[in-house]
Amino acid sequence: MKQWILACRSLARRPGYTITAILVLVLGIGATTALFSVVDTVLLKPLPYPNPDRLVTVMEASPSKNQKDSLIAPVRIEDWHRMNQTFDVVSGSYGESATDTSGPEPERLAGRRVAPRYFDVYRTAPLVGRTFTAEEDKFGGPAVAVISYGLWTRRFGQDPRVTSNRLVLGGRGFSIVGVMPKDFAAASIDVWLPAQTYPPLMRQRDARFFTGIGRMKPGVTIQQAQGDLARVQRQLGEQFARTDKDWSAIVRDLKESRVGDYRRTLLLVFGAVGMLLLIAVANIAGLTLAQLHTREREMAIRSSVGASRQQVVATVMREVLLIAAAGAAFGGAAAAASVKLMSGFFTDLPRLAELRFDWRALLFAAGASLLAAIAFGLIPAVQATRSSLAAMLAEGNRSVSSGRRRLQRSLVVAQLAVTVLLLASAGLLLRSYRNLSAVDSGFDSNNTIVFHVGAAWNEDRARVGTLQERLVAELHRLPGVEAAGMTNFLPATGATFRYQIQLEGITRAEENGKFTVGSRTVSPGYLRALHAPLLAGDWCPELRMDFRAAPKALVNRRFAELYGKGENMVGRHYSPAENPRYLVEITGVVGDMREDGLAASPAPYVYLCSSAGSWPDPEYVARTKGDPRAMMGAIRQLVRNLDPNRAVFGVKTIGNVVDEALDQPRLNVRFLTLFAGSAMLLASIGLYSLVTLLVTARTREIGVRVALGARRGQIVRLVLSGAVRLLGAGVVIGLGLTLVAQRLLKTVLFGVSPLDGLTLVGAIVVLAAASTLAAFLPARRAAAIDPLEAMRGE
């Protein structure tokens, strides 16, 4: 205990070093531990269900060459559940919003319609009540609902008697039968309702709208399960050739399906934070070497009175471990506080409801601190005591061992190299983000508002169709509205339906005469509201609730170029590959829009002209002459006049939609720029410490040079030349690291090469400027050395 008290006193006598080391360690450990909590929650922790490794998503695989995922028809879910040999249970669900009018004001609830056995897949007991019975899953069964933890808390104050309440959805009362735990699903989901699929729809094998979910039997692998469902689908293809032939199945791990798209970004950010921690450790190691230099006489005296080298190293390590413990404590506290802020940075990440600072993060912080202590304490301590301490005592304080110089130089070069990598990566991501921002989206996002009006798929279609027809017509009559319409999916979001078609009059064969296209359902005013250019033909006919009208559609330029080879497309017909008798007339050709995201090149698309009521819950879009948000009061009043029980929600501008498409690139830029700036600051501190140490060690030599007539400029150049050599080595190694990292960088860049010369030169220039300033300060002090004082000090 006495030795630890002495170590505390020793650190207290050197507050500058102690505080700096702790602050740098807190920065590195705090940031790394907070990001570890996010990575751990999203990527590492198992899903919060019993035996989560047996949970998978099951999707249909289209007959196209690349076997793209497709949603599942409800009848096929039942076929797969009945005919498989590798699953305990197969089910599915689809999203459906609903307007609840049981409260004082209509409220939009985000819901899921679930197939039979849905909750059996997860095997998670509800907090309150129960889940659905077999009778409730049947068409015409009781109207019941299971609500989320969030809705239970928000609306009912976690009342355990909540099952005595009802929700009123679409004018129909739904009895609440249960409440699911907080971590069961995304926080955005409010309610689960039984799908109770309409019997005629159960006979339509090409009605694909469910997302499949399954629980494999114990010991079954994903490959075995996929092979089993492929076998089942082949049997169905023989029995139902028109709708099932050549279709297969895709089975994926449920966790990978939920988080796989975010893995690359999270690992990129976590890697950057890890590098920041390495730089912090290298920086403290340099500071430790510098302060050990000032304590050489102390260590020599300890040695001369009988202390062994191990005892001297132990003395240093006790101080280092105290710094590491303080860094772990304060860094862990900073990480715990930062974790609460992470949901604000990573708004789109899955599993955020599970994010918390737990024992795993605390263990990570402790482990990082221990490794940091060994790296920044033990290595410098061993290096500092390698020379004869008695010789040091005899020499006084005139020199620094060449081994120690090499170690500290190596640390500084490593910091500079990693900083080059981070600065270059941040610059590349910034240029990529600017390129994405400048992409021609093919539509005009100015003065355009988007909103939803609550409607459910199981509502009476005539009622919903009448509302849509009247609403779109009244929107056009509102003063200040130039155009208005609706669509099932907005552009630049990547949300789409893809299916295969056969095109009339085109003889070129592709995919056995079939073409895969993306699809949007639109009303005529929608494309005009986006200022989509009409290149040929005419717009969709006026929106009417007429399900018997001959189907019509527009196609985009890419469709016409790829499949029409310059021929006139207007007046031609296409049909879904699964239903050749269903002919759709092409009435016009519009310009290409970035439907699949700003980074994706325009793909062939068809814009199917909508009948009112065919898509109950569309995106309404209105273009205004002025600020579109100023029109929302009039729009809400218009909806209230048409149907006071409808909730208006999801209000945003098309500009917001484009901004959301840039959220992830923007987040990458912000984080990496922050880390690169921090790294540059730490590397500059390390270089400053090294140059200061070297100047101190060469005080006598510099004094002699000044006495012999060396000018101030010559002394400054002498000192800076050493720093420039270190910077050059760091730049070379950093460029090598960038070369190694180009494969990863290439996956997140758009319109710029990972080895872009301008960006790399810019990173080098920025680091060179910061490094020159860091080295110039001690160089200037060296030039001001009084030769007499230097000699007297020796």
Side-chain angles (χ1 to χ4, degrees):
M1 178 61 71
K2 181 179 179 181
Q3 288 88 348
W4 290 100
I5 294 175
L6 291 175
C8 291
R9 290 177 178 174
S10 176
L11 291 175
R13 287 194 297 270
R14 291 170 286 118
Y17 162 73
T18 304
I19 294 174
T20 301
I22 291 175
L23 287 179
V24 171
L25 202 57
V26 167
L27 171 65
I29 291 177
T32 311
T33 305
L35 261 296
F36 171 80
S37 297
V38 177
V39 173
D40 182 46
T41 298
V42 177
L43 300 182
L44 304 181
K45 283 183 181 177
L47 295 175
Y49 311 114
N51 305 116
D53 56 308
R54 292 163 53 191
L55 294 175
V56 293
T57 59
V58 291
M59 304 291 283
E60 292 192 60
S62 69
S64 62
K65 290 178 180 177
N66 53 5
Q67 290 280 291
K68 291 182 179 178
D69 289 12
S70 173
L71 300 176
I72 310 176
V75 64
R76 201 161 288 103
I77 289 178
E78 299 306 312
D79 289 338
W80 286 3
H81 175 72
R82 173 173 49 86
M83 300 170 66
N84 86 85
Q85 298 175 355
T86 55
F87 287 86
D88 282 336
V89 59
V90 176
S91 186
S93 67
Y94 61 89
E96 180 180 275
S97 66
T99 300
D100 175 37
T101 55
S102 63
E105 292 289 337
E107 181 183 359
R108 180 258 186 179
L109 301 181
R112 302 290 297 180
R113 287 278 182 176
V114 301
R117 307 170 303 278
Y118 178 79
F119 292 102
D120 295 340
V121 174
Y122 294 98
R123 293 185 181 174
T124 300
L127 287 177
V128 178
R130 59 174 177 82
T131 55
F132 304 136
T133 65
E135 187 65 27
E136 291 164 345
D137 279 324
K138 294 179 180 178
F139 177 75
V144 291
V146 172
I147 65 173
S148 69
Y149 180 90
L151 182 60
W152 181 47
T153 302
R154 183 176 75 246
R155 177 76 71 81
F156 302 101
Q158 298 189 1
D159 184 355
R161 298 167 298 176
V162 67
T163 52
S164 62
N165 291 273
R166 294 197 316 163
L167 300 174
V168 179
L169 308 174
R172 185 184 181 192
F174 285 75
S175 299
I176 299 174
V177 298
V179 179
M180 296 309 293
K182 182 178 182 180
D183 294 345
F184 179 74
S188 57
I189 297 179
D190 296 312
V191 62
W192 292 267
L193 306 171
Q196 298 180 344
T197 308
Y198 186 48
L201 194 58
M202 290 294 293
R203 295 191 290 270
Q204 296 182 24
R205 305 189 64 83
D206 55 354
R208 297 178 168 91
F209 54 93
F210 272 90
T211 298
I213 182 78
R215 176 175 284 272
M216 300 184 299
K217 292 179 179 180
V220 173
T221 66
I222 289 179
Q223 291 75 18
Q224 291 171 334
Q226 179 158 323
D228 182 35
L229 287 188
R231 172 192 60 79
V232 171
Q233 192 56 41
R234 284 194 298 271
Q235 294 178 8
L236 293 173
E238 295 172 0
Q239 186 177 356
F240 306 99
R242 186 178 67 83
T243 56
D244 288 51
K245 186 178 181 181
D246 297 328
W247 284 77
S248 188
I250 294 179
V251 180
R252 288 196 178 96
D253 178 74
L254 177 61
K255 181 176 142 184
E256 185 64 25
S257 297
R258 289 186 177 180
V259 307
D261 292 342
Y262 301 90
R263 183 182 302 277
R264 188 176 296 131
T265 293
L266 278 179
L267 292 180
L268 176 69
V269 173
F270 187 63
V273 177
M275 290 181 183
L276 184 63
L277 177 60
L278 290 176
I279 292 177
V281 169
N283 190 279
I284 302 175
L287 291 174
T288 303
L289 269 177
Q291 65 90 28
L292 285 178
H293 169 68
T294 64
R295 299 175 63 192
E296 284 179 343
R297 189 174 185 81
E298 172 198 335
M299 291 187 291
I301 292 174
R302 288 177 182 272
S303 179
S304 67
V305 297
S308 66
R309 183 185 180 193
Q310 289 76 15
Q311 289 174 320
V312 174
V313 170
T315 299
V316 176
M317 284 305 298
R318 277 190 288 272
E319 299 174 9
V320 165
L321 289 174
L322 286 173
I323 291 174
F330 291 114
S338 300
V339 161
K340 298 178 181 179
L341 304 176
M342 287 295 158
S343 57
F345 287 108
F346 298 100
T347 53
D348 296 327
L349 281 182
R351 306 186 68 186
L352 278 184
E354 305 170 44
L355 180 60
R356 56 186 59 89
F357 186 83
D358 56 15
W359 66 269
R360 295 158 66 99
L362 191 61
L363 186 62
F364 178 88
S369 300
L370 181 60
L371 292 176
I374 294 173
F376 78 75
L378 183 59
I379 296 174
V382 170
Q383 180 69 38
T385 57
R386 181 171 295 174
S387 303
S388 170
L389 294 176
M392 292 181 190
L393 186 61
E395 282 186 3
N397 195 30
R398 284 181 299 204
S399 66
V400 180
S401 70
S402 60
R404 201 179 316 165
R405 290 180 189 174
R406 284 195 299 271
L407 175 60
Q408 193 161 13
R409 285 190 177 107
S410 299
L411 291 172
V412 171
V413 168
Q415 294 180 64
L416 292 170
V418 175
T419 303
V420 169
L421 172 61
L422 290 177
L423 283 172
S425 300
L428 290 168
L429 287 175
L430 179 59
R431 291 198 61 189
S432 176
Y433 173 73
R434 287 180 175 175
N435 290 341
L436 275 174
S437 303
V439 163
D440 181 8
S441 62
F443 57 87
D444 183 1
S445 61
N446 295 318
N447 299 336
T448 310
I449 198 78
V450 180
F451 61 95
H452 277 271
V453 175
W457 282 82
N458 64 341
E459 282 191 63
D460 178 69
R461 291 300 176 88
R463 180 187 177 195
V464 174
T466 300
L467 172 67
Q468 291 179 351
E469 187 177 326
R470 294 179 60 193
L471 178 55
V472 171
E474 292 297 327
L475 283 172
H476 279 105
R477 297 189 184 99
L478 275 180
V481 173
E482 293 183 355
M486 60 187 193
T487 182
N488 56 348
F489 299 119
L490 293 171
T493 60
T496 191
F497 285 137
R498 295 191 187 278
Y499 59 93
Q500 291 187 306
I501 65 168
Q502 292 174 314
L503 188 59
E504 177 186 64
I506 302 299
T507 58
R508 182 170 66 89
E510 179 177 314
E511 299 176 359
N512 299 322
K514 302 172 184 177
F515 304 93
T516 300
V517 297
S519 173
R520 292 277 189 271
T521 300
V522 303
S523 72
Y526 164 73
L527 293 170
R528 290 201 294 268
L530 291 183
H531 283 180
L534 182 65
L535 305 180
D538 205 351
W539 301 108
C540 289
E542 189 175 353
L543 182 65
R544 288 284 182 267
M545 191 175 60
D546 184 1
F547 299 112
R548 294 175 297 179
K552 300 180 183 298
L554 290 88
V555 299
N556 66 346
R557 184 202 302 267
R558 180 62 177 159
F559 182 105
E561 290 176 347
L562 193 60
Y563 303 142
K565 288 189 173 181
E567 300 178 20
N568 181 28
M569 302 299 298
V570 177
R572 293 185 183 275
H573 294 79
Y574 72 84
S575 61
E578 298 168 352
N579 188 4
R581 296 182 180 179
Y582 186 80
L583 295 178
V584 181
E585 181 186 354
I586 299 174
T587 65
V589 180
V590 294
D592 292 330
M593 293 192 288
R594 299 266 178 165
E595 300 284 4
D596 297 330
L598 296 177
S601 300
Y605 261 83
V606 299
Y607 297 92
L608 187 64
C609 300
S610 173
S611 295
S614 62
W615 190 273
D617 184 27
E619 304 266 6
Y620 291 92
V621 179
R623 171 169 292 279
T624 64
K625 295 178 181 177
D627 181 5
R629 291 191 178 274
M631 296 294 301
M632 278 313 301
I635 291 174
R636 290 182 187 276
Q637 185 60 50
L638 175 58
V639 174
R640 197 175 297 119
N641 293 340
L642 294 174
D643 191 338
N645 292 323
R646 303 282 179 181
V648 177
F649 61 94
V651 178
K652 54 188 172 183
T653 65
I654 290 291
N656 296 144
V657 175
V658 175
D659 286 342
E660 289 170 5
L662 294 170
D663 277 348
Q664 201 60 62
R666 187 185 303 114
L667 187 65
N668 291 347
V669 170
R670 287 176 179 174
F671 267 99
L672 212 54
T673 301
L674 175 63
F675 300 148
S678 302
M680 186 171 66
L681 175 62
L682 291 175
S684 299
I685 293 173
L687 183 61
Y688 173 85
S689 301
L690 174 61
V691 175
T692 299
L693 176 64
L694 294 177
V695 167
T696 302
R698 299 175 67 182
T699 298
R700 185 173 182 275
E701 174 196 341
I702 294 173
V704 171
R705 289 177 179 270
V706 173
L708 293 176
R711 294 187 297 273
R712 292 173 62 95
Q714 292 175 314
I715 300 299
V716 170
R717 285 194 296 273
L718 174 68
V719 175
L720 288 181
S721 62
V724 169
R725 286 192 292 271
L726 293 177
L727 176 62
V731 166
V732 170
I733 297 174
L735 292 177
L737 292 176
T738 306
L739 182 63
V740 173
Q742 67 169 321
R743 185 172 299 178
L744 173 61
L745 289 170
K746 192 179 297 183
T747 62
V748 294
L749 297 178
F750 176 79
V752 59
S753 166
L755 299 178
D756 178 69
L758 182 62
T759 305
L760 296 179
V761 169
I764 294 170
V765 169
V766 170
L767 180 59
S771 300
T772 301
L773 178 62
F776 179 75
L777 297 178
R780 189 177 63 174
R781 285 199 300 271
I785 288 176
D786 186 331
L788 294 179
E789 290 294 328
M791 300 293 185
R792 190 178 298 119
E794 289 293 318

